[in-house]
Structure formats: structure tokens, C-alpha cells
Amino acid sequence: MTRRLFQGVVGIDDATNQLSAGTVASSLIPVPCSLFPDPCSLTPQEDPKLHEECGVVAIHGHPDAARQAYLGLYALQHRGQESAGIATADGHHLANIKGMGLVSEIFTDDVLAKLPGSMAIGHTRYSTTGDSALLNAQPIRVDSVKGLIAIAHNGNLVHLGNVRARLERDGAYFQTTSDSEIIVQLIAHSRAGSLVDAIADSLSQVEGAFSIVMMTRDRIFAARDPRGFRPLSMGRIKNPDGPDTIVFASESCAFDLLRATFERDVLPGELVMVTEDGVTSRQYSTGVPQSSCIFEHVYFARPDSRIFGRWVQESRDQMGRQLARESGVPADVVVPVPDSGVTAALGYAEEAGIPFRLGLIRNHYVGRTFIEPEQRVRDFGVRLKLNPVRNLLEGKRVILIDDSIIRGTTSRKIVRMVRGAGAKEVHLRISCPPTISPCFYGVDTPSKRDLIAANKSIEEIRQYIEADSLSYLSLDGLLRCCRGEDQTGYCTACYTGNYPTQWVDVEDILPAALSL
Ligand code: SF4
């Protein structure tokens, strides 16, 4: 089996649709999947984690807006590593450069120098909708009757068939297969008098998850869908000599690198506009119950981010503590599966009074290419990323903390690895409920037939992964950990199968026999 991967970086300035000079151009090279340890490159059966679709940033009122957007995207790289792009505007022109690969690979000094202006929006992408070609990288720039508009989008629209067909009947010509372009086409075809009315009108016509930043030649817009699935925060860089710089980012961790202060979340159903005259806002949708993605707290967002009104670190610490209360077991050490299991493991260890030990070490420097051993080594992909610290595990009763079991294959390899390093017992604890249903809101999940918890009981999963015991955090416990004092409404559909929107793909939610 081969998979087509980009080697190097191709940049496109879609003002001209030409390869941009100064970027590293290369070609598509078919390569064996087994060569690549990176989660993006593993086969579906080997891929241990769910993937977020995107991260977005926007900057208004900074002399080097492109570099600020670059820094913001750099901090959001965990939300997507497939492609990245930055569009800038200087009041007259709108430039846009995007490419395949990591933010730092695409945006060298030379490339950033081609992006003038005091406004910018940026995007980093792991695709779930539309194919993965450079064409679908964002921001997307569309020249419409309402003027030039660039858009960057985190999330996934649902129920789009009719909207797209209607737009095409009305003469819309789609440049990409990305659903973000549908929003721009809706804006272009809106009969509303002003641009801001057209945007509000368009956003109220689409269903699903979207945290969006948009830019025209002289304005920035930021909006969240009415249910608030994906996070989007607003911050400010104080400027003693003039107007403040206003910034938006998928996660507040981006503000730290920009030296911006967190101001507030963009609200579900809110459309914020930033112009030279300042910030204005309107609710384009009201009365829809909030359903923010709880998996952002479990896994996606960085622990140093504050999302949905709450620090992610605090939620994960609470998940670990709650897990210890719900399913404690006598043991000698608590060991996280790095990196995402670390915060919950710290909470678990403290609550249970059991020593926390980094008994698994993750290799952070696994690149995209390495020499494959002549003989394929068993569990090679996992071994390349994780290695046990034998002297911490030997003869010990180990509680392993992880944040999810998707197909079960990776969990089994990790349990075997810990046991192989001499552990006497291995107890796996998961800091969320069993994942039984796929996501339609911007998270790349396998279909139900490939989710082990949709097809096996917890005892059957325990036997499959060869653990001495297995427990998940309860749904009530998880909600308590993520709500704190406030009453944030959460989407929990991947744990319950109850979707906050009407649309589901019947094919994807049919359980089927697992072939493991
Ligand atoms: S289905 Fe799961 S991953 Fe998707 S938005 Fe809901 S909670 Fe998040």
C-alpha cells in the first residue's frame, strides 16, 4: 500500500495561482505508509489518536500582521499539521500564501516578506472534509460581487447538499471542495445590503461546527456557530502609541506567544467585526442550546489554553482525580501515556496518593523519514514513539493513564510494552467515557465499525488489550470535571451517540463486526 505524501513545501499565492517564488517547491512522491511513524502517516489501524481539523488566527492593527499570524499558528500547530496559510491585507490589496507541511516549513522570512499589511488571518489544517490537496488549504480567497474575501475555518458544516446545489443553480462556481467556500459563496449571493448583514445572513443558513475568521481589504470578522462547537477567543495587544491590536485564535495559548492578553471568548452565535473604528459585535443567532466539544478538554486543546471559559489543565487534572475516585485500584506507580495523558495522571496520582512516574518516554523528534529496519519489527510504530523506563516499571503494579481508546490496537501495544519492561500488573484507566460514535463536527474519527467500544463490552476490550483491569471515566464525572461552577453545555455525541444537530451519516453509525 502506498500513500501520497508531499515532500518539502509548495507555496501558492492564490492572487496569481502561481507557485510563489522563494518557497521550496517539490513534487508528490508515492511512499510506503510503513515508513512513517507520524500519526498523519500511519495506517488507519496503527493510528492511535483522533485528529483535530484546524486552528485559526486573526490579527487587526499590527505593522507586521503576517509575523503575528505566523506566531499564532506556530502555537496552534497541534491542531493540524497538513497545511497552513496566511492572508494579509493593507487596506488596498489582499495577499494569500499557503502550503503543505508545518507552519515553520512554509513561512520563512522570505515568504513572510511577501505578505504586507496590518491585518492577517491564518489557518493550520488537518483535513476531514474535501480532499487533502493544496487547493483545499486555507485561507480561501474569493473575489465576489461583495469584494475580495478571505476565510479560514475550524470545524465541519453538515447538511450541505441542498445549499451547495442551490448556489450552483444560482451561478456559483466552486474553486475547492472545502465546505468553507460555501460560506463565502453564500455571502456573495446574499441579498443583504451590507457586508456584515450578508455574513450574518449566510452564517444563519448553515448547520454544523464553525469557528471562522474572515478578512476583507479593510476589516476582520470572527464568528462561532450557534452551538459553539469549536473554541475561538479574542485578545488584545496594548499599544501605548495608537489603537490596540485585536487578535483572535482558536486557543488562548496562541496569545502568550503574541504577548496578547486574553479578553473573552467569541460567544456561540456571535459575529464580531473589527475595523479602524474599533470592535463591534452582534448575535446573529440566539436561543440554540450550547454544545461545545467536550473532547477539546479531554484531548485536543493544549493544557495551557483557556477554552469555553475554563482552563484545560484544570479540567484534565479534575478528570484524573475523578477517575481515581471512581475506579481506584491498589498500585505502586501511576504512569501517563505521554503527552496527552500527563495532566490527568498527575491528578490521579495526587488523589490516590500513589507516586507519579514518567515510565514511558516519548520521542519528540521522530521525523517524517527514517531508515526502515530490514525486518519489520513487531509494534514498530509504537516503539518508535514510546519507550519504557525499565527501572521505574520492573516488578511494579502500574496504573497507566490515557485519554482514549479508539481502535484498541495501540493500547494493546502499550500495555504489552509496559508488561514487557517487567511490570507485575498493568491497569489501564481512560480519562473519558468509551468512544462509541463518530464525530461530524470537525474531528476525524473512524466509522462506528472501527471503534472498539462500539462493538465490544469493557470486559472484552480489557481482554483484547491484555490489561489486568480497565476502567473509563463516567460521563457524569467528565461533565462535572469540565463544567466547574458554570453551566457550559457540551456535545458528548462520541460517547453517547446523541447528536446535537439532526444530521448523521447512517452508514457511519451502523455498528459492524470488528476485524481486529
Ligand atoms: S462528537 Fe465528540 S469529538 Fe465531535 S464535537 Fe461532539 S464531543 Fe467533540
Side-chain angles (χ1 to χ4, degrees):
M1 176 184 173
T2 60
R3 171 176 284 199
R4 291 174 77 80
L5 290 179
F6 284 93
Q7 195 179 63
V9 179
V10 182
I12 278 191
D13 179 343
D14 61 13
T16 58
N17 256 359
Q18 300 292 311
L19 289 180
S20 26
T23 55
V24 185
S26 186
S27 56
L28 276 169
I29 302 171
V31 288
C33 272
S34 59
L35 285 176
F36 292 87
D38 180 297
C40 303
S41 319
L42 295 171
T43 65
Q45 286 67 33
E46 289 171 317
D47 193 345
K49 294 294 180 190
L50 302 179
H51 295 284
E52 175 62 70
E53 191 179 1
C54 305
V56 297
V57 295
I59 312 288
H60 183 280
H62 193 285
D64 194 0
R67 195 168 298 270
Q68 296 297 301
Y70 164 82
L71 291 173
L73 291 180
Y74 198 89
L76 297 177
Q77 187 75 82
H78 61 289
R79 296 183 75 86
Q81 299 91 40
E82 186 191 65
S83 66
I86 295 174
T88 56
D90 60 5
H92 306 287
H93 304 103
L94 207 148
N96 189 19
I97 294 180
K98 47 200 182 181
M100 303 299 292
L102 301 177
V103 175
S104 59
E105 294 169 342
I106 300 164
F107 292 102
T108 59
D109 275 339
D110 286 350
V111 175
L112 287 172
K114 296 176 195 303
L115 290 165
S118 62
M119 296 190 300
I121 63 170
H123 189 263
T124 181
R125 180 172 195 254
Y126 175 86
S127 74
T128 60
T129 298
D131 62 37
S132 63
L134 183 57
L135 192 63
N136 278 326
Q138 296 186 27
I140 291 171
R141 200 186 79 144
V142 176
D143 196 356
S144 76
V145 289
K146 302 258 181 341
L148 273 173
I149 302 172
I151 183 170
H153 165 210
N154 171 212
N156 202 37
L157 303 183
V158 297
H159 216 18
L160 279 176
N162 293 342
V163 180
R164 196 177 176 108
R166 176 165 56 81
L167 283 165
E168 279 172 340
R169 270 199 311 276
D170 290 350
Y173 171 70
F174 286 89
Q175 299 172 27
T176 71
T177 57
S178 163
D179 54 13
S180 315
E181 195 185 347
I182 288 181
I183 294 171
V184 182
Q185 294 288 1
L186 280 169
I187 295 167
H189 285 79
S190 169
R191 294 200 171 87
S194 69
L195 179 62
V196 68
D197 287 342
I199 293 173
D201 175 43
S202 305
L203 296 182
S204 59
Q205 291 181 53
V206 289
E207 172 106 272
F210 52 88
S211 281
I212 283 176
V213 289
M214 272 180 278
M215 186 174 64
T216 63
R217 288 188 173 97
D218 58 359
R219 277 177 281 181
I220 293 275
F221 299 89
R224 277 173 83 198
D225 67 78
R227 291 181 177 80
F229 278 103
R230 299 280 148 232
L232 186 62
S233 301
M234 183 171 128
R236 184 180 293 267
I237 304 171
K238 284 274 179 210
N239 182 0
D241 305 321
D244 294 344
T245 301
I246 304 296
V247 298
F248 297 90
S250 293
E251 290 182 37
S252 65
C253 65
F255 297 160
D256 299 338
L257 210 51
L258 300 174
R259 296 185 182 276
T261 50
F262 172 87
E263 196 150 295
R264 66 179 181 88
D265 284 341
V266 176
L267 299 173
E270 183 184 14
L271 170 61
V272 182
M273 179 171 76
V274 191
T275 68
E276 275 189 342
D277 299 328
V279 180
T280 53
S281 153
R282 69 160 76 173
Q283 282 296 132
Y284 70 89
S285 170
T286 53
V288 180
Q290 182 178 359
S291 55
S292 296
C293 173
I294 205 161
F295 205 53
E296 293 273 357
H297 273 293
V298 173
Y299 169 65
F300 287 128
R302 276 177 34 170
D304 50 341
S305 287
R306 180 192 159 95
I307 58 165
F308 312 141
R310 189 174 169 77
W311 287 101
V312 175
Q313 182 279 333
E314 193 182 341
S315 296
R316 287 195 193 148
D317 178 78
Q318 289 299 322
M319 287 171 212
R321 290 174 188 277
Q322 181 68 16
L323 197 51
R325 289 192 288 271
E326 289 183 8
S327 57
V329 61
D332 303 308
V333 284
V334 174
V335 172
V337 176
D339 292 321
S340 47
V342 170
T343 312
L346 278 164
Y348 189 109
E350 225 171 87
E351 184 72 22
I354 298 172
F356 170 92
R357 294 287 182 265
L358 288 170
L360 289 170
I361 301 299
R362 180 174 168 168
N363 183 350
H364 289 267
Y365 304 100
V366 175
R368 286 180 180 243
T369 54
F370 59 93
I371 310 292
E372 190 180 29
E374 278 179 21
Q375 289 280 306
R376 186 88 201 268
V377 180
R378 195 178 179 209
D379 301 342
F380 187 69
V382 169
R383 285 179 176 278
L384 200 68
K385 293 190 83 168
L386 292 177
N387 202 36
V389 185
R390 186 170 284 273
N391 66 310
L392 292 178
L393 302 172
E394 212 155 25
K396 300 282 188 353
R397 296 169 299 168
V398 175
I399 298 175
L400 261 184
I401 309 285
D402 204 353
D403 50 45
S404 53
I405 301 177
I406 306 305
R407 293 180 171 86
T409 48
T410 300
S411 302
R412 181 164 66 173
K413 289 170 186 173
I414 295 171
V415 169
R416 279 179 181 168
M417 179 186 285
V418 171
R419 215 186 284 284
K424 207 159 62 180
E425 295 171 15
V426 184
H427 303 275
L428 184 58
R429 296 292 179 268
I430 305 297
S431 59
C432 65
T435 305
I436 60 161
S437 238
C439 177
F440 300 99
Y441 310 118
V443 176
D444 187 20
T445 30
S447 64
K448 197 154 183 161
R449 66 181 65 88
D450 292 323
L451 293 169
I452 191 169
N455 298 278
K456 286 182 184 290
S457 69
I458 292 178
E459 172 55 18
E460 286 169 335
I461 300 171
R462 183 199 68 75
Q463 287 174 20
Y464 175 75
I465 62 173
E466 301 170 4
D468 291 284
S469 74
L470 166 67
S471 290
Y472 293 84
L473 183 60
S474 69
L475 183 61
D476 276 356
L478 174 63
L479 284 166
R480 213 170 308 139
C481 296
C482 296
R483 267 195 189 130
E485 298 302 308
D486 66 42
Q487 282 305 306
T488 304
Y490 282 106
C491 172
T492 57
C494 47
Y495 308 127
T496 61
N498 299 325
Y499 292 90
T501 61
Q502 286 180 354
W503 185 90
V504 291
D505 185 331
V506 176
E507 273 289 295
D508 273 346
I509 60 169
L510 286 177
L514 270 184
S515 53
L516 296 167

